C-alpha cells in the first residue's frame, strides 16, 4: 500500500499545507507527498515550517496521536511491541542515528519516549533536587509544539534524552508517521498535549505488583537489595501520586494490574488480576464486552469444556463508574496454560475489532515470549492494540469522506 | 559498516551500584529531603536502563546478528521459493 501521489506546488507563496484531495481508486486513501530538503534545517527547537520544497509523505489529514502513560519499569515497551505488531512489521530504532535514541519506528507507527522532553538532565535534577516525575523537570511547551507539528504532518527535530549518560543529546529528525505514539510519564499531564491525543491509555500497576516486578527486574543487578528497591519506590511515591497517577482520569482505556484473588495472600506477582477499564461514549471506540453488553457477568471458563490447572481463570464484566465517567470493565484473574483456552475465551468476547476469527489468539501466539503472554496483561494489551487499529481506520475514513463532502457543497 | 558502540551493560551496572551508594548517603541525614528523593529517582532510571540493556543483549541471536551483515553466506541464505 502506502502509495504516495506527487503534487506539484504551483503557488510559491506562504501557504503551508498542500491538501488537494483527490479521489483515488481506493476511495479513502488520500496520500500526499510533500518533500523536505535535509539541507534546510529549521530553527533548533522548531518544527519544519512551510516551504514548498520541504515536506513529507504523510497520510492526508495528518497523523493519529496515541498517548500511553505508565511509570518506568511497568511494561511500556512490551505494550509498544504488541501494538506495533498489530499494524504489521517490526519496530526498530532510527537507522544510523544515535545508538541511545529512545525512538522506535515501523512502517506505520513511530513511538517517541517523552523522557526526550526533559528540560533538566540528570545533573540538573540533582542540583534542583527534583525527580523526573516532577513537571518542573519537563518542557511541556516543546512537547506540545512538536506533537502538534507532527500531527499536522510537519517533521521535527526532537531532542534525545540519553538514559545511560543522563544527558540531553543532539536532536534527531522525526518524520510525521501515520500513527504517533507518545509514551512516558506525562502524556496527559499538560492540557494542550492532552487535547491533541486521539486516544489515551494509562497502565496502572498496583503497589504490590510494582514491588514484585521491580524485585524480579533488579534483584539480579549488583548493588540492589530488597531495601534499596523498597526505598526507591517509596521515595518516588509522593511525586508519582501527585503528578502521574491523576492522569488516569483522562485515559480512554486504563489497564489496571492487581494481585490475584484466586490464591490467598499471593505476593509473587506471577498470577495477576487485570482489569481493562474502557470509557463509554468515546468517538471511534466501542468497548469490548463479554456475552451481553451492559450486563454484569462473572464467568469461570474452566469446566467440562476446558481444563485449567491451579489456580484457574476467572473473568468478570460489567458497567461501572470511574472518576465520574461511565465505563465498562472487563477483568481477568489467573493465567492461561495452553492455546485452546485463549481461543475459547476469544470466541466469547465481542467487539474485539478483529479482522478474522482468532486474531487475538494469533497475535498472542506470535509473541508468546513477551512478558504477560499467559495472563490478562498480554490479552488486554493485544485487545487495545486492535482497538487502536480500528480507531485509526475509522479516523482515516472519516477524514477522507469530509473533503469530498466539502467539494460537493460548492 | 561499523555500528557505533552501545554502552555495555557492565558499564551501566557499575553506575547502578554507584547511584545506590549515593542515594543511601544522601538519605542518611534526611530521608524525605529533595536530595534524597532525586537520588533514588536516579537509581530507578539507571536500573531501568540496565534492565533494557540486559534484555537487548539476551534477545540477540548470534547467527541472526551475523546474517544481518552477511546475508550471502551459506549459513544465512534463504529463498522465498
Amino acid at each position: 500500500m502506502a502509495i504516495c501521489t506527487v503534487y506539484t506546488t504551483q503557488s510559491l507563496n506562504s501557504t503551508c499545507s498542500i491538501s488537494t484531495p483527490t479521489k483515488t481508486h481506493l476511495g479513502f486513501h488520500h496520500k500526499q507527498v510533500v518533500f523536505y530538503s535535509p539541507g534546510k534545517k529549521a530553527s533548533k527547537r522548531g518544527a519544519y515550517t512551510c516551504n514548498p520544497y520541504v515536506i513529507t509523505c504523510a497520510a492526508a489529514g495528518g497523523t493519529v496521536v496515541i498517548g500511553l502513560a505508565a511509570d518506568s519499569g511497568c511494561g511500556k515497551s512490551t505494550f509498544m511491541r504488541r501494538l506495533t505488531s498489530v499494524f504489521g512489521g517490526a519496530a526498530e530504532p532510527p537507522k544510523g542515528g544515535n545508538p541511545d535514541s529512545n525512538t522506535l519506528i515501523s512502517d506505520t507507527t513511530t513511538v517517541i519516549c517523552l523522557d526526550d522532553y526533559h528540560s533538566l538532565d540528570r545533573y540538573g535534577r540533582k542540583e534542583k533536587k527534583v525527580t523526573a516525575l516532577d513537571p518542573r523537570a519537563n518542557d511541556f511547551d516543546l512537547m506540545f509544539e512538536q506533537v502538534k507539528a507532527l500531527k499536522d504532518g510537519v517533521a521535527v527535530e526532537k531532542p534525545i534524552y540519553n538514559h545511560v549518560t543522563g544527558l540531553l543529546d543532539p536532536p534527531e529528525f522525526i518524520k510525521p508517521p501515520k500513527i504517533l505514539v507518545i509514551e512516558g510519564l506525562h502524556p496527559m499531564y499538560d492540557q494542550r498535549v492532552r487535547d491533541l491525543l486521539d486516544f489515551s491509555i494509562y497502565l496502572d500497576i498496583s503497589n504490590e505488583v510494582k514491588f514484585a516486578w521491580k524485585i524480579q527486574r533488579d534483584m539480579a543487578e549488583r548493588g540492589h537489595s530488597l531495601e534499596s528497591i523498597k526505598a526507591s519506590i517509596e521515595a518516588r511515591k509522593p511525586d508519582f501520586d501527585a503528578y502521574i497517577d491523576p492522569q488516569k482520569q483522562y485515559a480512554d482505556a486504563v489497564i489496571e494490574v492487581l494481585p490475584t484473588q484466586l490464591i490467598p495472600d499471593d505476593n509473587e506477582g506471577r498470577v495477576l488480576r487485570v482489569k481493562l477499564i474502557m470509557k463509554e461514549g468515546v468517538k471511534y471506540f466501542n468497548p469490548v464486552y463479554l456475552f451481553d453488553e451492559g450486563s454484569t457477568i462473572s464467568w469461570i471458563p474452566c469446566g467440562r469444556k476446558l481444563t485449567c490447572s491451579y489456580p484457574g481463570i476467572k473473568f468478570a464484566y460489567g458497567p461501572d463508574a470511574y472518576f465520574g465517567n461511565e465505563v465498562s470493565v472487563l477483568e481477568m484473574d489467573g493465567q492461561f496454560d495452553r492455546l485452546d483456552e485463549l481461543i475459547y475465551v476469544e470466541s466469547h468476547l465481542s467487539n474485539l475489532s478483529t479482522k478474522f476469527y482468532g486474531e487475538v489468539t494469533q497475535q498472542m501466539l506470535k509473541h508468546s515470549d513477551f512478558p504477560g503472554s499467559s495472563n490478562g496483561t498480554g490479552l488486554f494489551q493485544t485487545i487495545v492494540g486492535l482497538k487502536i487499529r480500528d480507531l485509526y481506520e475509522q479516523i482515516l475514513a472519516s477524514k477522507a469522506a469530509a473533503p469530498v463532502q466539502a467539494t460537493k457543497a460548492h | 559498516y561499523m555500528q557505533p558502540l552501545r554502552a555495555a551493560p557492565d558499564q551501566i551496572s557499575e553506575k547502578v551500584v554507584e547511584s545506590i551508594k549515593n542515594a543511601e548517603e544522601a538519605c542518611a541525614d534526611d530521608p524525605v529531603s529533595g536530595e534524597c528523593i532525586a537520588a533514588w529517582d536516579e537509581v530507578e532510571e539507571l536500573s531501568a536502563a540496565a534492565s533494557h540493556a540486559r534484555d537487548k543483549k539476551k534477545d540477540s541471536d548470534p547467527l541472526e546478528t551475523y546474517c544481518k551483515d552477511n546475508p550471502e553466506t551459506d549459513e544465512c541464505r534463504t529463498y522465498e521459493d
Side-chain angles (χ1 to χ4, degrees), chain B residues 5-48:
Chain B
L5 273 179
R6 249 172 231 281
D10 309 345
Q11 237 178 328
I12 309 175
S13 280
E14 251 157 63
K15 283 190 172 180
V16 174
V17 176
E18 202 186 299
S19 71
I20 293 171
K21 227 180 272 160
N22 289 342
E24 280 163 351
E25 272 167 34
C27 297
D29 322 323
D30 183 1
V32 285
S33 64
E35 206 179 339
C36 162
I37 287 166
W40 280 119
D41 188 42
E42 186 182 320
V43 173
E44 169 57 30
E45 189 175 284
L46 284 165
S47 305

Side-chain angles (χ1 to χ4, degrees), chain A residues 178-197:
Chain A
K178 289 180 182 145
I179 299 159
L180 173 71
V181 182
I182 55 169
E183 58 102 344
L185 294 163
H186 306 94
M188 288 99 88
Y189 184 84
D190 185 280
Q191 202 208 319
R192 297 166 299 168
V193 180
R194 197 160 70 224
D195 290 344
L196 292 173
L197 301 177

Side-chain angles (χ1 to χ4, degrees), chain A residues 55 86 107 129 243 281 333 356:
Chain A
I55 312 192
V86 167
D107 290 347
K129 296 173 185 167
Y243 310 121
D333 197 349
F356 52 87

